[in-house]
Amino acid sequence: MDILGILIPVSLLMGGAGLVAFWWMLRKGQFDDPEGDAHRILRDDYDDQPK
């Protein structure tokens, strides 16, 4: 039962770190256009070396 005193705070910290990482990626624009890359790779003028 004493292990719960360690596991609960550790799990809350890990969940908080995941939430902060997700929020940070949203702010950086990571998820702005998820379908754009999927459609862009199917086009004929696809460039292997982006600018």
Side-chain angles (χ1 to χ4, degrees):
M1 221 32 153
D2 294 334
I3 194 70
L4 288 178
I6 296 171
L7 289 178
I8 290 173
V10 168
S11 65
L12 289 174
L13 284 174
M14 289 177 66
L19 187 62
V20 167
F22 176 71
W23 179 77
W24 179 62
M25 286 189 286
L26 277 176
R27 301 284 289 166
K28 298 274 289 180
Q30 183 74 23
F31 305 112
D32 282 348
D33 187 18
E35 292 184 14
D37 289 333
H39 293 291
R40 193 174 305 124
I41 199 168
L42 296 175
R43 291 186 4 206
D44 291 334
D45 59 345
Y46 177 71
D47 187 12
D48 288 335
Q49 298 174 351
K51 298 175 184 173

Short mmCIF file of all heavy atoms in Angstrom, two decimals:
data_model
loop_
_atom_site.label_atom_id
_atom_site.label_comp_id
_atom_site.label_asym_id
_atom_site.label_seq_id
_atom_site.Cartn_x
_atom_site.Cartn_y
_atom_site.Cartn_z
N MET A 1 0.81 -1.18 0.00
CA MET A 1 0.00 0.00 0.00
C MET A 1 0.87 1.27 0.00
O MET A 1 0.42 2.30 -0.48
CB MET A 1 -0.88 -0.04 1.24
CG MET A 1 -2.31 0.41 1.07
SD MET A 1 -3.05 0.12 -0.49
CE MET A 1 -4.71 0.01 0.00
N ASP A 2 2.06 1.16 0.54
CA ASP A 2 2.95 2.33 0.58
C ASP A 2 3.41 2.74 -0.82
O ASP A 2 3.75 3.90 -1.04
CB ASP A 2 4.17 2.04 1.44
CG ASP A 2 3.81 1.85 2.90
OD1 ASP A 2 2.78 2.41 3.31
OD2 ASP A 2 4.56 1.15 3.61
N ILE A 3 3.42 1.80 -1.74
CA ILE A 3 3.87 2.10 -3.10
C ILE A 3 2.93 3.08 -3.79
O ILE A 3 3.35 3.82 -4.70
CB ILE A 3 4.03 0.79 -3.92
CG1 ILE A 3 4.82 1.02 -5.19
CG2 ILE A 3 2.68 0.19 -4.23
CD1 ILE A 3 6.26 1.30 -4.97
N LEU A 4 1.67 3.11 -3.37
CA LEU A 4 0.72 4.05 -3.96
C LEU A 4 1.12 5.50 -3.68
O LEU A 4 0.83 6.39 -4.47
CB LEU A 4 -0.69 3.79 -3.45
CG LEU A 4 -1.36 2.52 -3.96
CD1 LEU A 4 -2.73 2.37 -3.33
CD2 LEU A 4 -1.45 2.55 -5.46
N GLY A 5 1.79 5.73 -2.57
CA GLY A 5 2.28 7.06 -2.25
C GLY A 5 3.35 7.52 -3.23
O GLY A 5 3.58 8.72 -3.39
N ILE A 6 3.99 6.59 -3.89
CA ILE A 6 5.00 6.92 -4.91
C ILE A 6 4.39 6.91 -6.30
O ILE A 6 4.63 7.81 -7.10
CB ILE A 6 6.18 5.92 -4.83
CG1 ILE A 6 6.88 6.05 -3.48
CG2 ILE A 6 7.15 6.14 -5.97
CD1 ILE A 6 7.90 4.98 -3.21
N LEU A 7 3.58 5.90 -6.58
CA LEU A 7 3.04 5.73 -7.93
C LEU A 7 2.05 6.82 -8.33
O LEU A 7 2.03 7.25 -9.49
CB LEU A 7 2.37 4.36 -8.06
CG LEU A 7 3.31 3.17 -8.07
CD1 LEU A 7 2.51 1.88 -8.16
CD2 LEU A 7 4.28 3.26 -9.21
N ILE A 8 1.23 7.27 -7.41
CA ILE A 8 0.23 8.29 -7.76
C ILE A 8 0.89 9.61 -8.13
O ILE A 8 0.58 10.18 -9.19
CB ILE A 8 -0.82 8.44 -6.63
CG1 ILE A 8 -1.69 7.19 -6.59
CG2 ILE A 8 -1.67 9.68 -6.84
CD1 ILE A 8 -2.65 7.14 -5.43
N PRO A 9 1.82 10.15 -7.34
CA PRO A 9 2.49 11.39 -7.77
C PRO A 9 3.30 11.23 -9.05
O PRO A 9 3.32 12.13 -9.90
CB PRO A 9 3.40 11.75 -6.60
CG PRO A 9 2.84 11.05 -5.42
CD PRO A 9 2.20 9.82 -5.96
N VAL A 10 3.96 10.08 -9.22
CA VAL A 10 4.74 9.85 -10.43
C VAL A 10 3.82 9.82 -11.65
O VAL A 10 4.13 10.42 -12.68
CB VAL A 10 5.57 8.55 -10.32
CG1 VAL A 10 6.15 8.15 -11.65
CG2 VAL A 10 6.68 8.73 -9.29
N SER A 11 2.68 9.14 -11.54
CA SER A 11 1.76 9.08 -12.67
C SER A 11 1.16 10.45 -12.96
O SER A 11 0.95 10.80 -14.13
CB SER A 11 0.67 8.04 -12.42
OG SER A 11 -0.14 8.44 -11.34
N LEU A 12 0.89 11.24 -11.94
CA LEU A 12 0.37 12.59 -12.16
C LEU A 12 1.42 13.47 -12.84
O LEU A 12 1.09 14.27 -13.73
CB LEU A 12 -0.08 13.21 -10.85
CG LEU A 12 -1.36 12.62 -10.24
CD1 LEU A 12 -1.62 13.23 -8.87
CD2 LEU A 12 -2.53 12.85 -11.16
N LEU A 13 2.67 13.34 -12.44
CA LEU A 13 3.74 14.10 -13.08
C LEU A 13 3.93 13.69 -14.54
O LEU A 13 4.12 14.54 -15.41
CB LEU A 13 5.06 13.92 -12.31
CG LEU A 13 5.17 14.70 -11.00
CD1 LEU A 13 6.45 14.30 -10.27
CD2 LEU A 13 5.12 16.18 -11.25
N MET A 14 3.87 12.39 -14.81
CA MET A 14 4.02 11.92 -16.19
C MET A 14 2.85 12.37 -17.05
O MET A 14 3.04 12.76 -18.21
CB MET A 14 4.16 10.40 -16.22
CG MET A 14 5.48 9.91 -15.67
SD MET A 14 5.60 8.13 -15.62
CE MET A 14 5.58 7.75 -17.35
N GLY A 15 1.64 12.32 -16.51
CA GLY A 15 0.48 12.80 -17.24
C GLY A 15 0.56 14.29 -17.50
O GLY A 15 0.24 14.77 -18.58
N GLY A 16 1.02 15.04 -16.51
CA GLY A 16 1.20 16.48 -16.68
C GLY A 16 2.26 16.79 -17.72
O GLY A 16 2.10 17.72 -18.52
N ALA A 17 3.35 16.03 -17.72
CA ALA A 17 4.40 16.24 -18.72
C ALA A 17 3.87 15.95 -20.12
O ALA A 17 4.19 16.67 -21.07
CB ALA A 17 5.60 15.35 -18.41
N GLY A 18 3.06 14.91 -20.26
CA GLY A 18 2.45 14.61 -21.56
C GLY A 18 1.51 15.71 -22.01
O GLY A 18 1.48 16.07 -23.19
N LEU A 19 0.75 16.25 -21.08
CA LEU A 19 -0.17 17.33 -21.40
C LEU A 19 0.58 18.59 -21.82
O LEU A 19 0.20 19.26 -22.78
CB LEU A 19 -1.08 17.61 -20.21
CG LEU A 19 -2.22 18.58 -20.41
CD1 LEU A 19 -3.17 18.05 -21.48
CD2 LEU A 19 -2.95 18.80 -19.11
N VAL A 20 1.66 18.90 -21.11
CA VAL A 20 2.48 20.06 -21.46
C VAL A 20 3.13 19.87 -22.83
O VAL A 20 3.16 20.80 -23.65
CB VAL A 20 3.54 20.32 -20.37
CG1 VAL A 20 4.60 21.31 -20.84
CG2 VAL A 20 2.87 20.83 -19.10
N ALA A 21 3.62 18.66 -23.12
CA ALA A 21 4.22 18.39 -24.43
C ALA A 21 3.19 18.52 -25.55
O ALA A 21 3.48 19.07 -26.61
CB ALA A 21 4.85 17.00 -24.43
N PHE A 22 1.99 18.03 -25.31
CA PHE A 22 0.93 18.15 -26.31
C PHE A 22 0.57 19.61 -26.54
O PHE A 22 0.42 20.05 -27.68
CB PHE A 22 -0.30 17.35 -25.87
CG PHE A 22 -1.47 17.49 -26.79
CD1 PHE A 22 -1.43 16.89 -28.04
CD2 PHE A 22 -2.58 18.20 -26.42
CE1 PHE A 22 -2.51 17.01 -28.91
CE2 PHE A 22 -3.65 18.33 -27.27
CZ PHE A 22 -3.62 17.73 -28.52
N TRP A 23 0.44 20.39 -25.47
CA TRP A 23 0.11 21.81 -25.58
C TRP A 23 1.21 22.55 -26.32
O TRP A 23 0.95 23.40 -27.16
CB TRP A 23 -0.09 22.39 -24.18
CG TRP A 23 -0.41 23.84 -24.20
CD1 TRP A 23 -1.60 24.42 -24.50
CD2 TRP A 23 0.49 24.91 -23.93
NE1 TRP A 23 -1.48 25.78 -24.42
CE2 TRP A 23 -0.21 26.11 -24.06
CE3 TRP A 23 1.84 24.96 -23.56
CZ2 TRP A 23 0.38 27.34 -23.86
CZ3 TRP A 23 2.42 26.19 -23.36
CH2 TRP A 23 1.69 27.36 -23.51
N TRP A 24 2.46 22.19 -26.04
CA TRP A 24 3.60 22.83 -26.70
C TRP A 24 3.58 22.53 -28.21
O TRP A 24 3.83 23.41 -29.03
CB TRP A 24 4.89 22.34 -26.07
CG TRP A 24 6.13 22.90 -26.66
CD1 TRP A 24 6.51 24.21 -26.72
CD2 TRP A 24 7.16 22.17 -27.32
NE1 TRP A 24 7.71 24.32 -27.34
CE2 TRP A 24 8.14 23.08 -27.72
CE3 TRP A 24 7.36 20.81 -27.58
CZ2 TRP A 24 9.29 22.68 -28.39
CZ3 TRP A 24 8.51 20.43 -28.22
CH2 TRP A 24 9.44 21.36 -28.62
N MET A 25 3.27 21.29 -28.58
CA MET A 25 3.20 20.94 -30.00
C MET A 25 2.04 21.65 -30.70
O MET A 25 2.14 22.02 -31.86
CB MET A 25 3.09 19.43 -30.17
CG MET A 25 4.38 18.71 -29.89
SD MET A 25 4.33 16.97 -30.33
CE MET A 25 3.33 16.32 -29.03
N LEU A 26 0.93 21.83 -30.00
CA LEU A 26 -0.18 22.58 -30.58
C LEU A 26 0.23 24.03 -30.84
O LEU A 26 -0.11 24.60 -31.88
CB LEU A 26 -1.39 22.58 -29.65
CG LEU A 26 -2.30 21.38 -29.69
CD1 LEU A 26 -3.39 21.52 -28.64
CD2 LEU A 26 -2.91 21.21 -31.06
N ARG A 27 0.94 24.64 -29.92
CA ARG A 27 1.37 26.03 -30.07
C ARG A 27 2.40 26.19 -31.18
O ARG A 27 2.47 27.22 -31.81
CB ARG A 27 1.97 26.54 -28.75
CG ARG A 27 1.03 26.50 -27.58
CD ARG A 27 0.02 27.58 -27.60
NE ARG A 27 0.70 28.84 -27.32
CZ ARG A 27 0.16 30.02 -27.53
NH1 ARG A 27 -1.04 30.10 -28.00
NH2 ARG A 27 0.82 31.11 -27.27
N LYS A 28 3.21 25.15 -31.43
CA LYS A 28 4.23 25.21 -32.48
C LYS A 28 3.65 24.93 -33.86
O LYS A 28 4.34 25.06 -34.85
CB LYS A 28 5.35 24.20 -32.19
CG LYS A 28 6.11 24.43 -30.91
CD LYS A 28 7.24 25.38 -31.06
CE LYS A 28 8.33 24.72 -31.87
NZ LYS A 28 9.46 25.58 -32.05
N GLY A 29 2.39 24.51 -33.95
CA GLY A 29 1.75 24.28 -35.23
C GLY A 29 1.98 22.88 -35.79
O GLY A 29 1.87 22.66 -36.99
N GLN A 30 2.28 21.93 -34.93
CA GLN A 30 2.57 20.56 -35.36
C GLN A 30 1.36 19.92 -36.04
O GLN A 30 1.51 19.12 -36.94
CB GLN A 30 3.00 19.73 -34.15
CG GLN A 30 3.39 18.33 -34.47
CD GLN A 30 4.75 18.24 -35.14
OE1 GLN A 30 5.57 19.13 -35.00
NE2 GLN A 30 4.97 17.19 -35.86
N PHE A 31 0.16 20.25 -35.60
CA PHE A 31 -1.04 19.58 -36.08
C PHE A 31 -1.90 20.47 -36.97
O PHE A 31 -3.10 20.23 -37.10
CB PHE A 31 -1.87 19.10 -34.88
CG PHE A 31 -1.10 18.24 -33.92
CD1 PHE A 31 -0.80 18.70 -32.65
CD2 PHE A 31 -0.67 16.99 -34.30
CE1 PHE A 31 -0.10 17.92 -31.77
CE2 PHE A 31 0.04 16.20 -33.42
CZ PHE A 31 0.32 16.66 -32.15
N ASP A 32 -1.33 21.49 -37.58
CA ASP A 32 -2.10 22.43 -38.37
C ASP A 32 -2.69 21.81 -39.63
O ASP A 32 -3.83 22.07 -39.97
CB ASP A 32 -1.25 23.64 -38.76
CG ASP A 32 -1.11 24.62 -37.62
OD1 ASP A 32 -1.84 24.48 -36.62
OD2 ASP A 32 -0.27 25.51 -37.73
N ASP A 33 -1.93 21.02 -40.35
CA ASP A 33 -2.39 20.47 -41.63
C ASP A 33 -2.04 18.99 -41.73
O ASP A 33 -1.13 18.60 -42.47
CB ASP A 33 -1.74 21.25 -42.77
CG ASP A 33 -2.29 20.86 -44.12
OD1 ASP A 33 -3.37 20.25 -44.17
OD2 ASP A 33 -1.63 21.15 -45.12
N PRO A 34 -2.74 18.12 -41.01
CA PRO A 34 -2.38 16.71 -41.03
C PRO A 34 -2.67 16.01 -42.36
O PRO A 34 -2.03 15.03 -42.70
CB PRO A 34 -3.22 16.09 -39.91
CG PRO A 34 -4.39 17.00 -39.78
CD PRO A 34 -3.87 18.38 -40.13
N GLU A 35 -3.61 16.51 -43.15
CA GLU A 35 -3.93 15.86 -44.41
C GLU A 35 -3.13 16.44 -45.57
O GLU A 35 -3.06 15.83 -46.64
CB GLU A 35 -5.42 15.98 -44.71
CG GLU A 35 -6.27 15.19 -43.74
CD GLU A 35 -7.73 15.24 -44.10
OE1 GLU A 35 -8.05 15.64 -45.23
OE2 GLU A 35 -8.55 14.85 -43.26
N GLY A 36 -2.53 17.58 -45.40
CA GLY A 36 -1.79 18.22 -46.47
C GLY A 36 -0.61 17.39 -46.94
O GLY A 36 -0.39 17.22 -48.14
N ASP A 37 0.16 16.85 -46.01
CA ASP A 37 1.31 16.03 -46.38
C ASP A 37 0.88 14.74 -47.06
O ASP A 37 1.55 14.26 -47.96
CB ASP A 37 2.16 15.72 -45.16
CG ASP A 37 2.90 16.93 -44.65
OD1 ASP A 37 3.18 17.83 -45.46
OD2 ASP A 37 3.20 16.98 -43.44
N ALA A 38 -0.22 14.18 -46.61
CA ALA A 38 -0.71 12.93 -47.21
C ALA A 38 -1.12 13.16 -48.66
O ALA A 38 -0.88 12.31 -49.53
CB ALA A 38 -1.88 12.38 -46.42
N HIS A 39 -1.71 14.30 -48.95
CA HIS A 39 -2.11 14.59 -50.33
C HIS A 39 -0.93 15.08 -51.16
O HIS A 39 -0.86 14.83 -52.36
CB HIS A 39 -3.22 15.64 -50.35
CG HIS A 39 -4.51 15.16 -49.75
ND1 HIS A 39 -5.29 14.21 -50.35
CD2 HIS A 39 -5.13 15.47 -48.60
CE1 HIS A 39 -6.34 13.97 -49.60
NE2 HIS A 39 -6.26 14.73 -48.51
N ARG A 40 0.00 15.77 -50.53
CA ARG A 40 1.14 16.33 -51.24
C ARG A 40 2.05 15.23 -51.79
O ARG A 40 2.62 15.36 -52.86
CB ARG A 40 1.93 17.24 -50.29
CG ARG A 40 2.92 18.10 -50.98
CD ARG A 40 3.58 19.09 -50.02
NE ARG A 40 2.58 19.89 -49.32
CZ ARG A 40 2.48 19.97 -47.99
NH1 ARG A 40 3.31 19.31 -47.23
NH2 ARG A 40 1.55 20.72 -47.44
N ILE A 41 2.18 14.13 -51.07
CA ILE A 41 3.08 13.07 -51.52
C ILE A 41 2.51 12.33 -52.74
O ILE A 41 3.25 11.71 -53.49
CB ILE A 41 3.37 12.09 -50.36
CG1 ILE A 41 4.62 11.30 -50.65
CG2 ILE A 41 2.20 11.18 -50.10
CD1 ILE A 41 5.13 10.54 -49.47
N LEU A 42 1.22 12.42 -52.97
CA LEU A 42 0.60 11.74 -54.11
C LEU A 42 0.64 12.58 -55.39
O LEU A 42 0.35 12.06 -56.47
CB LEU A 42 -0.84 11.38 -53.78
CG LEU A 42 -1.02 10.39 -52.63
CD1 LEU A 42 -2.48 10.22 -52.30
CD2 LEU A 42 -0.37 9.07 -52.95
N ARG A 43 1.01 13.84 -55.29
CA ARG A 43 1.05 14.69 -56.47
C ARG A 43 2.27 14.38 -57.32
O ARG A 43 3.27 13.85 -56.84
CB ARG A 43 1.10 16.17 -56.04
CG ARG A 43 -0.19 16.60 -55.42
CD ARG A 43 -0.27 18.07 -55.09
NE ARG A 43 0.86 18.88 -55.50
CZ ARG A 43 1.21 20.01 -54.92
NH1 ARG A 43 0.54 20.44 -53.88
NH2 ARG A 43 2.21 20.72 -55.36
N ASP A 44 2.18 14.71 -58.61
CA ASP A 44 3.27 14.43 -59.54
C ASP A 44 4.48 15.32 -59.32
O ASP A 44 5.61 14.91 -59.58
CB ASP A 44 2.79 14.60 -60.98
CG ASP A 44 1.80 13.52 -61.37
OD1 ASP A 44 1.85 12.43 -60.78
OD2 ASP A 44 0.99 13.78 -62.28
N ASP A 45 4.26 16.52 -58.84
CA ASP A 45 5.38 17.44 -58.66
C ASP A 45 5.96 17.38 -57.25
O ASP A 45 6.49 18.35 -56.73
CB ASP A 45 4.96 18.87 -59.00
CG ASP A 45 3.81 19.35 -58.13
OD1 ASP A 45 3.16 18.51 -57.49
OD2 ASP A 45 3.58 20.57 -58.12
N TYR A 46 5.90 16.21 -56.63
CA TYR A 46 6.44 16.03 -55.28
C TYR A 46 7.96 16.18 -55.32
O TYR A 46 8.65 15.61 -56.18
CB TYR A 46 6.06 14.64 -54.75
CG TYR A 46 6.64 14.34 -53.40
CD1 TYR A 46 6.16 15.00 -52.27
CD2 TYR A 46 7.64 13.42 -53.24
CE1 TYR A 46 6.67 14.73 -51.03
CE2 TYR A 46 8.16 13.13 -52.00
CZ TYR A 46 7.68 13.80 -50.90
OH TYR A 46 8.20 13.52 -49.65
N ASP A 47 8.48 16.93 -54.38
CA ASP A 47 9.92 17.20 -54.32
C ASP A 47 10.52 16.42 -53.17
O ASP A 47 10.11 16.56 -52.02
CB ASP A 47 10.16 18.71 -54.13
CG ASP A 47 11.61 19.07 -54.24
OD1 ASP A 47 12.40 18.23 -54.67
OD2 ASP A 47 11.94 20.23 -53.91
N ASP A 48 11.53 15.58 -53.45
CA ASP A 48 12.18 14.81 -52.40
C ASP A 48 13.01 15.67 -51.47
O ASP A 48 13.29 15.27 -50.34
CB ASP A 48 13.07 13.72 -53.00
CG ASP A 48 12.26 12.59 -53.61
OD1 ASP A 48 11.11 12.40 -53.17
OD2 ASP A 48 12.77 11.93 -54.51
N GLN A 49 13.43 16.82 -51.92
CA GLN A 49 14.24 17.71 -51.10
C GLN A 49 13.48 19.02 -50.89
O GLN A 49 13.60 19.95 -51.71
CB GLN A 49 15.57 17.96 -51.76
CG GLN A 49 16.39 16.70 -51.93
CD GLN A 49 17.66 16.94 -52.72
OE1 GLN A 49 17.86 18.00 -53.28
NE2 GLN A 49 18.51 15.95 -52.74
N PRO A 50 12.70 19.12 -49.82
CA PRO A 50 11.93 20.34 -49.60
C PRO A 50 12.83 21.54 -49.36
O PRO A 50 14.00 21.40 -49.01
CB PRO A 50 11.10 20.02 -48.36
CG PRO A 50 11.75 18.86 -47.73
CD PRO A 50 12.52 18.14 -48.78
N LYS A 51 12.28 22.71 -49.55
CA LYS A 51 13.05 23.95 -49.39
C LYS A 51 13.44 24.20 -47.96
O LYS A 51 12.85 23.84 -47.05
CB LYS A 51 12.23 25.13 -49.91
CG LYS A 51 11.91 25.00 -51.35
CD LYS A 51 11.00 26.11 -51.80
CE LYS A 51 10.62 25.90 -53.25
NZ LYS A 51 9.65 26.80 -53.74
#
